[in-house]
Amino acid sequence: MKYAAIFLTLVFLAGAACAGYLWLTCDVSAVSSGVVAREAAADPELFASLKAAHSDEITGDISGYVFYTWSVKITNSTFVDIEQAECRLSLLPGDVCQVPAADSPGIPARSEGTLTVTALTRVNTTPVREATVSWYLWGHPAFAPLTLH
């Protein structure tokens, strides 16, 4: 009986050490992975739809505007899938709007995913923005501030 108690104690300690290791190494991180600028004239349909929605903010012609698209790399080192991830920009003066995302991607467990966010802004504005990246893990929201550049 004494040997069984010692064996079960060792099994418990090994299981607790493994669970502690997993708990301490599970994390979700988000980092900015670049920005691409393209003239609004490259996508006239999108510009026209945004101009119809924001007619009071868009003045002048299409050549005075540019789309900035930032990429955010999200690393999910947990054992649970991220159900939804999104990014919200803090717009600066000269920005018209954040372009609505087509979908909010999920990120499988122990993998990486890329999230993109696009804004319509005037020409000659800085491509650096503050943003908040959010995700849902087990139905609970989490947030991370991020500087996009």
Side-chain angles (χ1 to χ4, degrees):
M1 195 63 160
K2 177 179 168 182
Y3 295 113
I6 292 172
F7 175 74
L8 291 176
T9 301
L10 291 176
V11 169
F12 170 76
L13 291 175
C18 288
Y21 173 76
L22 292 176
W23 177 265
L24 293 174
T25 59
C26 288
D27 189 29
V28 176
S29 63
V31 294
S32 176
S33 59
V35 61
V36 174
R38 62 187 165 98
E39 296 176 353
D43 197 348
E45 295 84 19
L46 179 59
F47 181 78
S49 67
L50 293 174
K51 186 173 184 175
H54 301 278
S55 59
D56 55 336
E57 297 176 32
I58 297 178
T59 58
D61 64 343
I62 195 170
S63 64
Y65 292 91
V66 65
F67 287 109
Y68 283 133
T69 302
W70 292 271
S71 297
V72 178
K73 185 174 82 170
I74 300 176
T75 304
N76 180 9
S77 64
T78 68
F79 289 96
V80 180
D81 293 349
I82 291 177
E83 300 163 9
Q84 178 183 5
E86 64 182 17
C87 184
R88 294 285 176 189
L89 294 173
S90 297
L91 299 177
L92 297 177
D95 292 345
V96 176
C97 66
Q98 177 176 337
V99 177
D103 62 345
S104 296
I107 300 170
R110 300 303 234 183
S111 66
E112 295 179 348
T114 302
L115 180 66
T116 59
V117 59
T118 303
L120 175 64
T121 186
R122 297 193 196 304
V123 174
N124 296 329
T125 59
T126 179
V128 178
R129 299 287 186 283
E130 295 297 319
T132 301
V133 179
S134 62
W135 58 88
Y136 290 90
L137 193 64
W138 279 356
H140 298 287
F143 305 94
L146 185 63
T147 301
L148 301 176
H149 48 75

